[in-house]
Coordinates of all heavy atoms in Angstrom, one line a residue:
M1 N 0.8 -1.2 0.0 CA 0.0 0.0 0.0 C 0.9 1.3 0.0 O 1.8 1.4 0.8 CB -0.9 0.0 1.2 CG -2.1 0.9 1.1 SD -3.2 0.7 2.6 CE -2.7 2.1 3.5
K2 N 0.6 2.1 -0.9 CA 1.4 3.3 -1.0 C 0.8 4.4 -0.1 O -0.4 4.6 0.0 CB 1.4 3.9 -2.4 CG 2.5 3.3 -3.2 CD 2.5 4.0 -4.6 CE 3.6 3.4 -5.4 NZ 3.6 3.9 -6.8
K3 N 1.7 5.1 0.5 CA 1.3 6.2 1.3 C 1.0 7.4 0.4 O 1.7 7.7 -0.5 CB 2.5 6.7 2.2 CG 2.3 6.3 3.7 CD 3.4 6.9 4.5 CE 3.3 6.4 5.9 NZ 4.4 6.9 6.8
A4 N -0.1 8.0 0.7 CA -0.5 9.1 -0.1 C 0.3 10.3 0.4 O 0.3 10.6 1.6 CB -2.0 9.4 0.1
T5 N 1.0 10.9 -0.5 CA 1.8 12.1 -0.1 C 0.9 13.3 -0.2 O 0.2 13.5 -1.1 CB 3.0 12.3 -1.0 OG1 2.6 12.1 -2.4 CG2 4.1 11.2 -0.7
K6 N 1.0 14.1 0.9 CA 0.3 15.3 0.9 C 0.8 16.3 -0.2 O 2.0 16.4 -0.3 CB 0.4 16.0 2.3 CG -0.6 15.5 3.3 CD -0.5 16.3 4.5 CE -1.4 15.8 5.6 NZ -1.2 16.4 6.9
P7 N -0.1 16.8 -0.9 CA 0.3 17.8 -1.9 C 0.9 19.0 -1.1 O 0.2 19.6 -0.2 CB -1.0 18.2 -2.6 CG -2.1 17.8 -1.7 CD -1.6 16.7 -0.8
R8 N 2.1 19.3 -1.5 CA 2.7 20.5 -0.9 C 2.6 21.7 -1.8 O 2.7 21.6 -3.0 CB 4.2 20.2 -0.6 CG 4.4 19.4 0.6 CD 5.8 19.6 1.1 NE 6.0 18.9 2.4 CZ 7.1 19.0 3.1 NH1 8.1 19.7 2.6 NH2 7.3 18.4 4.2
K9 N 2.5 22.8 -1.1 CA 2.5 24.0 -1.8 C 3.8 24.3 -2.4 O 4.8 24.4 -1.7 CB 2.1 25.2 -0.9 CG 0.6 25.5 -0.8 CD 0.4 26.7 0.1 CE -1.1 26.8 0.5 NZ -1.3 27.8 1.5
S10 N 3.9 24.3 -3.7 CA 5.2 24.6 -4.4 C 5.4 26.1 -4.4 O 4.4 26.8 -4.8 CB 5.2 24.0 -5.8 OG 4.2 24.6 -6.6
K11 N 6.6 26.5 -4.0 CA 6.9 27.9 -4.1 C 5.8 28.8 -3.6 O 4.9 29.2 -4.3 CB 7.2 28.3 -5.5 CG 8.7 28.2 -5.8 CD 9.0 28.9 -7.1 CE 10.4 28.5 -7.6 NZ 10.7 29.0 -8.9
A12 N 5.8 29.1 -2.3 CA 4.8 30.0 -1.8 C 5.0 31.4 -2.5 O 6.0 32.0 -2.4 CB 5.0 30.2 -0.3
L13 N 4.0 31.8 -3.1 CA 4.0 33.1 -3.8 C 3.9 34.2 -2.7 O 3.2 34.0 -1.8 CB 2.9 33.2 -4.8 CG 3.0 32.4 -6.1 CD1 1.7 32.4 -6.8 CD2 4.1 33.0 -7.0
P14 N 4.6 35.3 -3.0 CA 4.4 36.4 -2.1 C 3.0 36.9 -2.0 O 2.3 36.9 -3.1 CB 5.4 37.4 -2.6 CG 5.8 37.0 -4.0 CD 5.5 35.6 -4.1
T15 N 2.6 37.3 -0.9 CA 1.2 37.6 -0.8 C 0.9 39.1 -1.1 O -0.1 39.6 -0.8 CB 0.7 37.4 0.7 OG1 1.6 37.9 1.6 CG2 0.6 35.9 0.9
F16 N 2.0 39.8 -1.6 CA 1.8 41.2 -2.0 C 0.7 41.4 -2.9 O 0.5 40.6 -3.9 CB 3.1 41.7 -2.6 CG 4.2 41.8 -1.6 CD1 5.3 41.0 -1.7 CD2 4.2 42.7 -0.6 CE1 6.3 41.0 -0.8 CE2 5.2 42.8 0.3 CZ 6.3 41.9 0.2
E17 N -0.1 42.4 -2.7 CA -1.1 42.8 -3.7 C -0.4 43.6 -4.7 O 0.6 44.3 -4.4 CB -2.2 43.6 -3.0 CG -3.1 42.7 -2.2 CD -4.1 43.6 -1.5 OE1 -4.5 44.6 -2.0 OE2 -4.4 43.2 -0.3
T18 N -0.9 43.6 -5.9 CA -0.4 44.5 -6.9 C -1.2 45.8 -7.0 O -2.4 45.8 -6.5 CB -0.3 43.9 -8.3 OG1 -1.7 43.5 -8.6 CG2 0.6 42.7 -8.3
D19 N -0.6 46.8 -7.4 CA -1.4 48.1 -7.7 C -0.8 48.8 -8.9 O 0.0 48.2 -9.6 CB -1.4 49.0 -6.4 CG 0.0 49.4 -6.0 OD1 0.9 49.4 -6.9 OD2 0.2 49.8 -4.9
V20 N -1.3 50.0 -9.2 CA -0.8 50.6 -10.4 C 0.7 50.8 -10.4 O 1.4 50.8 -11.4 CB -1.5 52.0 -10.6 CG1 -2.9 51.8 -11.0 CG2 -1.3 52.9 -9.4
H21 N 1.3 50.9 -9.2 CA 2.7 51.2 -9.0 C 3.5 49.9 -9.3 O 4.5 49.9 -10.0 CB 3.0 51.7 -7.6 CG 2.4 53.0 -7.4 ND1 2.9 54.2 -7.9 CD2 1.3 53.3 -6.6 CE1 2.2 55.2 -7.5 NE2 1.2 54.7 -6.7
T22 N 3.0 48.8 -8.8 CA 3.8 47.5 -9.1 C 3.8 47.2 -10.6 O 4.6 46.5 -11.1 CB 3.2 46.3 -8.3 OG1 1.8 46.1 -8.8 CG2 3.1 46.6 -6.8
E23 N 2.8 47.7 -11.3 CA 2.7 47.4 -12.7 C 3.4 48.4 -13.6 O 3.7 48.2 -14.7 CB 1.2 47.4 -13.2 CG 0.3 46.5 -12.4 CD 0.8 45.1 -12.2 OE1 0.9 44.4 -13.2 OE2 1.2 44.7 -11.1
H24 N 3.8 49.6 -13.0 CA 4.3 50.7 -13.9 C 5.6 51.3 -13.3 O 6.3 51.9 -14.1 CB 3.3 51.8 -14.1 CG 2.1 51.3 -14.9 ND1 2.1 51.0 -16.2 CD2 0.8 51.1 -14.4 CE1 0.9 50.7 -16.6 NE2 0.1 50.7 -15.5
C25 N 5.9 51.2 -12.1 CA 7.0 51.9 -11.5 C 8.2 51.0 -11.3 O 8.1 49.8 -11.4 CB 6.6 52.5 -10.2 SG 5.1 53.5 -10.3
C26 N 9.3 51.7 -11.0 CA 10.6 50.9 -10.9 C 11.3 51.4 -9.6 O 11.4 52.6 -9.4 CB 11.4 51.1 -12.1 SG 13.1 50.4 -12.0
V27 N 11.8 50.5 -8.9 CA 12.5 50.9 -7.6 C 13.7 51.6 -7.9 O 14.2 52.5 -7.1 CB 12.7 49.6 -6.8 CG1 13.8 48.7 -7.4 CG2 13.1 50.0 -5.3
R28 N 14.3 51.4 -9.1 CA 15.6 52.1 -9.4 C 15.3 53.4 -10.1 O 16.0 54.4 -10.0 CB 16.4 51.3 -10.4 CG 17.0 50.0 -9.7 CD 17.9 49.3 -10.7 NE 19.2 49.9 -10.6 CZ 19.9 50.3 -11.7 NH1 19.4 50.1 -12.9 NH2 21.1 50.8 -11.6
H29 N 14.3 53.4 -11.0 CA 14.0 54.6 -11.8 C 12.8 55.4 -11.4 O 12.5 56.4 -12.0 CB 13.9 54.1 -13.3 CG 15.1 53.5 -13.8 ND1 15.2 52.1 -13.9 CD2 16.3 54.0 -14.1 CE1 16.4 51.8 -14.3 NE2 17.1 52.9 -14.5
G30 N 12.2 55.0 -10.3 CA 11.2 55.9 -9.7 C 9.8 55.6 -10.1 O 9.5 54.7 -10.9
C31 N 8.9 56.4 -9.6 CA 7.5 56.3 -9.8 C 7.1 56.8 -11.2 O 7.6 57.9 -11.5 CB 6.8 57.0 -8.7 SG 5.0 56.8 -8.9
A32 N 6.3 56.1 -11.9 CA 5.9 56.5 -13.2 C 4.9 57.7 -13.1 O 4.7 58.4 -14.1 CB 5.2 55.4 -13.9
Y33 N 4.5 58.0 -11.9 CA 3.4 59.0 -11.8 C 4.0 60.3 -11.1 O 3.3 61.2 -10.9 CB 2.3 58.5 -10.9 CG 1.6 57.3 -11.5 CD1 2.0 56.0 -11.2 CD2 0.6 57.5 -12.5 CE1 1.5 54.9 -11.8 CE2 0.1 56.4 -13.1 CZ 0.5 55.1 -12.7 OH -0.1 54.0 -13.3
G34 N 5.3 60.3 -10.9 CA 6.0 61.5 -10.4 C 6.5 61.2 -9.0 O 6.1 60.3 -8.3
Q35 N 7.5 62.0 -8.7 CA 8.2 61.8 -7.4 C 7.4 62.0 -6.2 O 7.7 61.5 -5.1 CB 9.5 62.7 -7.4 CG 10.5 62.3 -8.4 CD 11.9 62.8 -8.1 OE1 12.0 63.9 -7.5 NE2 12.9 62.2 -8.6
D36 N 6.4 62.9 -6.3 CA 5.6 63.2 -5.1 C 4.6 62.1 -4.8 O 4.0 62.1 -3.7 CB 4.9 64.5 -5.3 CG 5.9 65.7 -5.4 OD1 7.0 65.5 -4.9 OD2 5.6 66.7 -6.0
F37 N 4.5 61.2 -5.7 CA 3.5 60.2 -5.5 C 4.0 59.2 -4.4 O 5.1 58.9 -4.3 CB 3.2 59.4 -6.8 CG 1.8 59.1 -7.0 CD1 1.1 60.0 -7.9 CD2 1.2 58.1 -6.4 CE1 -0.3 59.7 -8.1 CE2 -0.2 57.8 -6.7 CZ -0.9 58.6 -7.5
N38 N 3.0 58.8 -3.5 CA 3.4 57.8 -2.5 C 3.4 56.5 -3.2 O 2.5 55.8 -3.2 CB 2.4 57.9 -1.4 CG 2.8 57.1 -0.2 OD1 4.0 56.8 0.0 ND2 1.9 56.7 0.6
C39 N 4.6 56.1 -3.7 CA 4.7 55.0 -4.5 C 5.1 53.7 -3.7 O 6.1 53.7 -3.0 CB 5.8 55.2 -5.6 SG 6.0 53.9 -6.7
S40 N 4.3 52.7 -3.8 CA 4.5 51.5 -3.0 C 5.8 50.8 -3.5 O 6.4 50.0 -2.7 CB 3.3 50.6 -3.1 OG 3.0 50.3 -4.5
V41 N 6.2 51.0 -4.7 CA 7.4 50.3 -5.2 C 8.6 51.0 -4.8 O 9.5 50.4 -4.3 CB 7.3 50.2 -6.8 CG1 8.7 49.8 -7.3 CG2 6.2 49.2 -7.2
V42 N 8.6 52.4 -5.0 CA 9.7 53.2 -4.6 C 9.9 53.1 -3.0 O 11.0 53.1 -2.5 CB 9.6 54.7 -5.0 CG1 10.7 55.5 -4.4 CG2 9.6 54.7 -6.5
N43 N 8.8 53.0 -2.3 CA 8.9 52.9 -0.9 C 9.2 51.5 -0.4 O 9.3 51.2 0.8 CB 7.5 53.3 -0.2 CG 7.3 54.8 -0.4 OD1 8.2 55.5 -0.6 ND2 6.0 55.1 -0.3
K44 N 9.4 50.6 -1.4 CA 9.7 49.2 -1.2 C 8.7 48.5 -0.3 O 9.0 47.6 0.4 CB 11.1 49.1 -0.5 CG 12.2 49.6 -1.5 CD 13.6 49.4 -0.9 CE 14.6 49.9 -1.9 NZ 15.9 50.0 -1.4
E45 N 7.4 48.9 -0.4 CA 6.4 48.2 0.2 C 5.9 47.0 -0.6 O 5.5 46.0 0.0 CB 5.2 49.2 0.5 CG 5.4 50.2 1.5 CD 4.5 51.4 1.4 OE1 3.5 51.3 0.6 OE2 4.7 52.4 2.0
K46 N 6.0 47.1 -1.9 CA 5.6 46.1 -2.8 C 6.7 45.9 -3.9 O 7.2 46.9 -4.3 CB 4.3 46.4 -3.4 CG 3.1 46.5 -2.4 CD 1.9 46.9 -3.2 CE 0.7 47.2 -2.2 NZ -0.5 47.6 -2.8
P47 N 6.9 44.7 -4.3 CA 7.8 44.5 -5.4 C 7.2 44.8 -6.7 O 6.0 44.5 -6.9 CB 8.2 43.0 -5.3 CG 7.0 42.4 -4.7 CD 6.3 43.4 -3.8
Q48 N 7.9 45.4 -7.6 CA 7.4 45.7 -8.9 C 7.2 44.4 -9.7 O 7.9 43.4 -9.5 CB 8.3 46.7 -9.7 CG 9.6 46.1 -10.1 CD 10.7 47.2 -10.3 OE1 11.2 47.7 -9.4 NE2 10.9 47.5 -11.6
S49 N 6.2 44.5 -10.6 CA 5.8 43.3 -11.4 C 6.7 43.1 -12.6 O 6.9 42.0 -13.1 CB 4.4 43.3 -11.8 OG 3.5 43.3 -10.7
Y50 N 7.2 44.2 -13.1 CA 8.0 44.2 -14.3 C 9.2 45.1 -14.2 O 9.2 46.0 -13.5 CB 7.1 44.6 -15.5 CG 5.8 44.0 -15.6 CD1 4.6 44.6 -15.2 CD2 5.7 42.7 -16.2 CE1 3.4 44.1 -15.3 CE2 4.4 42.1 -16.2 CZ 3.3 42.8 -15.8 OH 2.1 42.2 -15.9
I51 N 10.2 44.8 -15.1 CA 11.3 45.7 -15.1 C 10.8 46.9 -16.1 O 10.0 46.7 -16.9 CB 12.6 45.1 -15.7 CG1 12.3 44.4 -17.0 CG2 13.1 44.1 -14.7 CD1 13.4 44.4 -18.0
C52 N 11.4 48.0 -15.9 CA 11.0 49.1 -16.7 C 11.9 49.2 -17.9 O 12.9 48.6 -18.1 CB 11.1 50.4 -15.9 SG 12.7 51.1 -15.6
E53 N 11.6 50.1 -18.9 CA 12.3 50.3 -20.1 C 13.8 50.7 -19.8 O 14.7 50.3 -20.5 CB 11.7 51.3 -21.0 CG 10.5 50.7 -21.8 CD 9.9 51.7 -22.7 OE1 10.6 52.6 -23.2 OE2 8.6 51.6 -22.9
S54 N 13.9 51.6 -18.8 CA 15.3 52.1 -18.5 C 16.1 51.0 -18.0 O 17.3 50.9 -18.3 CB 15.2 53.2 -17.4 OG 14.3 54.3 -17.9
C55 N 15.5 50.1 -17.2 CA 16.2 48.9 -16.7 C 16.7 48.1 -17.9 O 17.9 47.7 -17.9 CB 15.3 48.1 -15.8 SG 15.2 48.7 -14.1
A56 N 15.8 47.8 -18.8 CA 16.2 47.0 -19.9 C 17.3 47.6 -20.7 O 18.2 46.9 -21.2 CB 14.9 46.8 -20.9
R57 N 17.3 48.9 -20.8 CA 18.4 49.6 -21.5 C 19.7 49.4 -20.8 O 20.8 49.5 -21.3 CB 18.1 51.1 -21.7 CG 17.7 51.4 -23.2 CD 17.4 52.8 -23.4 NE 15.9 53.0 -23.3 CZ 15.4 53.9 -22.5 NH1 16.1 54.8 -21.8 NH2 14.1 54.0 -22.5
E58 N 19.7 49.3 -19.5 CA 20.9 49.1 -18.7 C 21.3 47.7 -18.6 O 22.3 47.4 -17.8 CB 20.6 49.7 -17.3 CG 20.5 51.2 -17.2 CD 20.3 51.7 -15.9 OE1 20.5 51.0 -14.9 OE2 19.7 52.9 -15.8
G59 N 20.6 46.8 -19.2 CA 21.0 45.4 -19.1 C 20.3 44.6 -18.0 O 20.6 43.5 -17.8
I60 N 19.4 45.3 -17.4 CA 18.6 44.6 -16.4 C 17.4 44.0 -17.1 O 16.4 44.7 -17.3 CB 18.2 45.5 -15.2 CG1 19.5 46.1 -14.6 CG2 17.4 44.8 -14.2 CD1 19.3 47.3 -13.7
I61 N 17.5 42.8 -17.5 CA 16.5 42.2 -18.4 C 15.4 41.4 -17.7 O 14.4 41.1 -18.3 CB 17.1 41.4 -19.5 CG1 18.1 40.3 -18.8 CG2 17.9 42.2 -20.4 CD1 18.5 39.3 -19.8
N62 N 15.6 41.2 -16.4 CA 14.5 40.5 -15.7 C 14.6 40.9 -14.2 O 15.5 41.5 -13.7 CB 14.5 39.0 -15.9 CG 15.7 38.4 -15.4 OD1 16.2 38.7 -14.3 ND2 16.3 37.4 -16.2
L63 N 13.6 40.5 -13.5 CA 13.5 40.9 -12.1 C 14.5 40.3 -11.2 O 14.9 40.8 -10.2 CB 12.1 40.5 -11.5 CG 10.9 41.4 -12.1 CD1 9.6 40.8 -11.6 CD2 11.1 42.8 -11.7
D64 N 15.0 39.1 -11.6 CA 16.1 38.5 -10.9 C 17.4 39.3 -10.9 O 18.0 39.5 -9.9 CB 16.4 37.1 -11.4 CG 15.3 36.1 -11.1 OD1 14.6 36.3 -10.1 OD2 15.2 35.1 -11.7
I65 N 17.6 39.8 -12.1 CA 18.8 40.7 -12.3 C 18.6 42.0 -11.6 O 19.5 42.5 -10.9 CB 19.2 40.9 -13.8 CG1 19.5 39.5 -14.4 CG2 20.3 41.8 -13.9 CD1 19.7 39.6 -15.9
L66 N 17.4 42.5 -11.6 CA 17.1 43.7 -10.9 C 17.4 43.5 -9.4 O 18.0 44.4 -8.7 CB 15.7 44.1 -11.1 CG 15.2 45.3 -10.3 CD1 15.9 46.6 -10.7 CD2 13.7 45.5 -10.4
K67 N 17.0 42.4 -8.9 CA 17.2 42.1 -7.5 C 18.7 42.0 -7.2 O 19.2 42.6 -6.2 CB 16.5 40.8 -7.1 CG 16.0 40.7 -5.7 CD 15.5 39.4 -5.3 CE 14.1 39.1 -5.9 NZ 13.7 37.7 -5.7
E68 N 19.4 41.4 -8.1 CA 20.9 41.3 -7.9 C 21.5 42.7 -7.9 O 22.4 42.9 -7.0 CB 21.4 40.5 -9.2 CG 21.8 39.1 -8.9 CD 22.3 38.5 -10.2 OE1 23.4 38.9 -10.7 OE2 21.6 37.6 -10.7
V69 N 21.1 43.5 -8.8 CA 21.7 44.8 -8.9 C 21.3 45.6 -7.7 O 22.1 46.4 -7.1 CB 21.1 45.6 -10.2 CG1 21.5 47.0 -10.2 CG2 21.7 44.9 -11.4
Q70 N 20.1 45.5 -7.2 CA 19.7 46.1 -5.9 C 20.6 45.7 -4.8 O 20.8 46.4 -3.8 CB 18.2 45.8 -5.6 CG 17.2 46.5 -6.5 CD 17.3 48.0 -6.3 OE1 17.7 48.7 -7.2 NE2 16.9 48.5 -5.2
N71 N 21.1 44.5 -4.9 CA 21.9 43.9 -3.8 C 23.4 44.2 -4.1 O 24.3 43.6 -3.5 CB 21.7 42.5 -3.6 CG 20.3 42.2 -3.0 OD1 19.8 43.0 -2.2 ND2 19.7 41.1 -3.4
G72 N 23.7 45.0 -5.1 CA 25.1 45.4 -5.3 C 25.7 44.6 -6.5 O 26.9 44.7 -6.7
G73 N 24.9 43.8 -7.2 CA 25.4 43.0 -8.3 C 25.5 43.9 -9.6 O 25.2 45.1 -9.6
K74 N 26.0 43.3 -10.6 CA 26.2 44.0 -11.9 C 25.1 43.6 -12.9 O 24.6 42.5 -12.9 CB 27.5 43.6 -12.5 CG 28.7 44.1 -11.6 CD 29.0 45.5 -12.0 CE 30.0 46.2 -11.0 NZ 31.3 45.6 -11.1
P75 N 24.6 44.6 -13.7 CA 23.7 44.2 -14.7 C 24.3 43.3 -15.8 O 25.5 43.3 -15.9 CB 23.2 45.6 -15.3 CG 24.3 46.5 -14.9 CD 25.0 46.0 -13.6
H76 N 23.4 42.7 -16.5 CA 23.9 41.8 -17.6 C 23.6 42.4 -18.9 O 22.7 43.2 -19.1 CB 23.1 40.4 -17.5 CG 23.4 39.7 -16.2 ND1 23.6 38.3 -16.3 CD2 23.4 40.1 -15.0 CE1 23.8 37.9 -15.0 NE2 23.7 38.9 -14.2
C77 N 24.4 42.0 -19.9 CA 24.2 42.5 -21.2 C 22.9 41.9 -21.7 O 22.6 40.8 -21.7 CB 25.3 42.0 -22.1 SG 25.0 42.4 -23.9
P78 N 22.0 42.8 -22.3 CA 20.7 42.3 -22.7 C 20.8 41.5 -24.0 O 19.9 40.7 -24.3 CB 19.9 43.6 -23.1 CG 21.0 44.7 -23.2 CD 22.2 44.3 -22.4
H79 N 22.0 41.5 -24.6 CA 22.1 40.7 -25.9 C 22.7 39.4 -25.6 O 22.2 38.4 -26.1 CB 22.9 41.5 -26.9 CG 22.4 42.9 -27.1 ND1 21.2 43.1 -27.7 CD2 22.9 44.1 -26.8 CE1 21.0 44.4 -27.8 NE2 22.0 45.1 -27.2
C80 N 23.8 39.3 -24.8 CA 24.5 38.1 -24.7 C 24.3 37.5 -23.2 O 24.6 36.4 -23.0 CB 25.9 38.2 -25.0 SG 26.8 39.4 -23.9
G81 N 23.8 38.3 -22.3 CA 23.6 37.8 -21.0 C 24.9 37.9 -20.1 O 24.8 37.5 -18.9
H82 N 26.0 38.4 -20.7 CA 27.2 38.5 -19.9 C 27.1 39.6 -18.9 O 26.4 40.6 -19.1 CB 28.4 38.8 -20.8 CG 29.0 37.6 -21.4 ND1 29.4 37.5 -22.7 CD2 29.2 36.3 -20.9 CE1 29.8 36.3 -23.0 NE2 29.7 35.5 -21.9
I83 N 27.7 39.5 -17.8 CA 27.7 40.5 -16.8 C 28.5 41.7 -17.3 O 29.6 41.5 -17.8 CB 28.2 40.0 -15.4 CG1 27.3 38.9 -14.9 CG2 28.4 41.1 -14.5 CD1 27.8 38.3 -13.6
L84 N 27.9 42.9 -17.3 CA 28.6 44.0 -17.8 C 29.7 44.5 -16.8 O 29.5 44.3 -15.6 CB 27.6 45.2 -18.0 CG 26.5 44.9 -19.1 CD1 25.5 46.0 -19.1 CD2 27.2 44.7 -20.4
P85 N 30.7 45.1 -17.3 CA 31.8 45.6 -16.4 C 31.4 46.8 -15.6 O 30.4 47.5 -15.9 CB 32.9 46.0 -17.4 CG 32.2 46.3 -18.7 CD 31.0 45.4 -18.7
Ligands
LIG101 ZN1 4.7 54.6 -8.4
LIG102 ZN1 14.0 50.6 -13.9

């Protein structure tokens, strides 16, 4: 008789809610609605859902790399994926 394995929650997703800021703003490049806006992304209350165009231009092609850069890492080349000097 086989033991039934309990289904485990794979990768607990963060429970952050999204808002207009998580969809449009960037923790590095600021709030899309202006600096005076109380931005949940800039305030680091919520993680942004997407990288912004400025990030992409700097070689930050996904949120993992953005996180790396936020932690002091280097951006990667958007074309070859190499870490930029
Ligand atoms: Zn914002
Ligand atoms: Zn950005």
